[in-house]
């Protein structure tokens, strides 16, 4: 039987000197991978065949480890071939009689797999985001839909239980929208809904809940908004809707009903439901009082 040769091993085998770091032996796999002729190895040091970062890692971690334990397993490093190409690799390293023995596996395929896994995960995250968006966003106005608003109200209630801040509930309803649809067509009505939604989004803050509550009705929950802030908000809404009339057909106005959460008790879901009802009652009052106005529930 012919003598087994280290050249037949399918991994890179190397020996370096512990003191000088000179390359003393490489097998055929290492020679092929690094592009170094076995006859020329004395010209090379360890630091010629691993990257700068790997050299620092070797000095700061691997060397002390092999000095104290005699070995270091599964060391991730970057080999540098004579062509300059960098190859990710994993090495098992042992120290014996002032020589360091290396068995090294290139990890190109593994790194490619990791990369693919990362890409797949990113795609999944993107798809999930799209799905969440589809379930939460009203496709016409791009505002939150009613279900998402209810979810967010639920989270808001928990947040307010931990720390109370003033919150206003503002229900906004486009006046005589049926007439607008009937006069100018449904697609014109849709365009008005989109424009009103954009106005509400523009005059709100990122911490507010801005939702299409139903047909031509919107809900804005103003977070951290005192009565004065809420009044300003409503004025801004009316004035922006007024300006809208310069650019579209028909006379668009909104009626607005407002209620606010009282800070007296710990906020429970019934209190939020109640506030919504109060804002609805105020909206009804605004419609009865001639539309295109804001009414505040009596306690506000
Ligand atoms: N274009 C369009 N119309 C819608 C949409 N959703 C609901 N509507 C219409 O909105 C109209 C609402 O009419 P009403 O509830 O009678 O209210 P209104 O005409 O606004 O009258 P007031 O609220 O009393 O001022 C109905 O004709 C619905 O068909 C939509 O997505 N697009």
């Amino acid at each position: 039987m012919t003598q087994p040769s280290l050249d037949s091993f399918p991994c890179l085998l190397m020996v370096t000197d512990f003191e000088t770091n000179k390359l003393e032996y490489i097998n055929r796999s290492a020679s092929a991978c690094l592009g170094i002729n076995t006859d020329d190895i004395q010209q090379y040091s360890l630091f010629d065949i691993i990257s700068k970062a790997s050299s620092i890692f070797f000095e700061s971690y691997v060397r002390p480890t092999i000095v104290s334990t005699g070995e270091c397993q599964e060391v991730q490093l970057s080999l540098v071939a004579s062509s300059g190409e960098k190859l990710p690799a994993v090495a098992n390293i042992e120290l014996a009689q002032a020589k360091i023995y290396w068995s090294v596996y290139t990890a190109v395929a593994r790194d490619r797999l990791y990369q693919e896994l990362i890409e797949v995960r990113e795609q999944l995250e993107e798809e999930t985001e799209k799905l969440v968006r589809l379930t939460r966003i009203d496709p016409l106005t791009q505002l939150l839909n009613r279900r998402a608003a209810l979810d967010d109200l639920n989270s808001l209630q928990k947040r307010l239980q931990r720390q109370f801040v003033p919150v206003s509930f503002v229900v906004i309803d486009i006046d005589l929208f049926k007439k607008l649809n009937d006069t100018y067509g449904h697609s014109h009505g849709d365009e008005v809904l989109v424009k009103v939604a954009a106005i509400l989004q523009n005059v709100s803050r990122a911490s507010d809940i801005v939702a299409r509550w139903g047909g031509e009705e919107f809900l804005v929950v103003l977070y951290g908004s005192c009565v004065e802030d809420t009044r300003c908000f409503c004025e801004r809404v009316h004035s922006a809707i007024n300006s809208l009339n310069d650019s579209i057909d028909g006379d668009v106005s909104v009626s607005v009903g407002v209620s606010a959460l009282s800070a007296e008790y710990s906020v429970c879901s019934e209190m939020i439901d109640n506030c919504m009802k109060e804002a609805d009652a105020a909206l009804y009052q605004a419609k009865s009082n001639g539309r295109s106005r804001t009414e505040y529930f009596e306690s506000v």
Side-chain angles (χ1 to χ4, degrees), residues 7-61:
D7 282 335
S8 302
F9 278 85
C11 63
L12 286 66
L13 298 177
M14 313 190 301
V15 180
T16 54
D17 185 84
F18 179 75
E19 293 300 335
T20 64
N21 293 310
K22 286 276 178 207
L23 213 51
E24 297 205 338
Y25 169 78
I26 55 172
N27 71 348
R28 195 166 55 197
S29 290
S31 160
C33 186
L34 296 167
I36 296 175
N37 195 316
T38 45
D39 296 335
D40 299 335
I41 56 170
Q42 60 281 7
Q43 300 171 17
Y44 289 88
S45 116
L46 171 65
F47 303 127
D48 296 323
I49 60 159
I50 61 175
S51 70
K52 216 168 188 76
S54 296
S55 304
I56 294 167
F57 182 60
F58 177 81
E59 288 295 6
S60 60
Y61 176 75

Side-chain angles (χ1 to χ4, degrees), residues 138 140-141 173-182 185-193 212 214-217 253 255 283 287 291:
D138 170 55
L140 177 66
T141 61
D173 187 283
I174 304 177
D175 294 327
L176 304 172
F177 193 61
K178 184 174 180 321
K179 194 170 148 207
L180 206 81
N181 266 335
D182 293 347
H186 200 269
S187 62
H188 178 76
D190 281 357
E191 194 189 327
V192 170
L193 284 170
R212 185 178 181 193
E216 83 302 7
E217 187 171 317
S253 68
S255 296
L283 172 66
K287 293 276 183 190
R291 299 186 173 85

Side-chain angles (χ1 to χ4, degrees), residues 101-258:
Y101 293 81
W102 302 69
S103 66
V104 183
Y105 299 83
T106 56
V108 178
R110 186 203 62 180
D111 271 25
R112 203 180 302 129
L113 180 67
Y114 278 173
Q115 198 49 44
E116 279 169 16
L117 285 174
I118 289 168
E119 279 163 19
V120 167
R121 198 187 64 191
E122 281 170 359
Q123 275 170 14
L124 280 174
E125 280 170 1
E126 258 174 47
E127 293 300 320
T128 311
E129 217 169 273
K130 273 190 211 155
L131 282 176
V132 168
R133 222 183 127 65
L134 278 177
T135 58
R136 282 178 57 85
I137 301 294
D138 170 55
L140 177 66
T141 61
Q142 300 300 307
L143 295 184
L144 296 178
N145 58 27
R146 187 182 184 113
R147 193 169 70 177
L150 286 169
D151 279 352
D152 287 5
L153 280 174
N154 203 21
S155 315
L156 174 69
Q157 181 230 325
K158 291 185 181 121
R159 212 175 342 149
L160 292 174
Q161 261 179 352
R162 286 195 298 274
Q163 190 185 14
F164 185 84
V165 294
V167 172
S168 295
F169 289 74
V170 183
V171 180
I172 299 132
D173 187 283
I174 304 177
D175 294 327
L176 304 172
F177 193 61
K178 184 174 180 321
K179 194 170 148 207
L180 206 81
N181 266 335
D182 293 347
T183 314
Y184 299 99
H186 200 269
S187 62
H188 178 76
D190 281 357
E191 194 189 327
V192 170
L193 284 170
V194 170
K195 292 201 160 150
V196 170
I199 286 174
L200 297 179
Q201 192 80 78
N202 275 343
V203 296
S204 309
R205 288 185 293 215
S207 52
D208 300 334
I209 298 171
V210 185
R212 185 178 181 193
W213 193 242
E216 83 302 7
E217 187 171 317
F218 301 89
L219 168 71
V220 179
V221 181
L222 299 170
Y223 183 78
S225 177
C226 65
V227 177
E228 220 23 67
D229 294 340
T230 305
R231 280 183 201 280
C232 268
F233 171 85
C234 295
E235 276 164 26
R236 289 217 307 276
V237 170
H238 285 296
S239 130
I241 302 267
N242 253 339
S243 322
L244 188 62
N245 287 319
D246 300 337
S247 62
I248 55 161
D249 289 335
D251 204 13
V252 181
S253 68
V254 292
S255 296
V256 180
V258 179

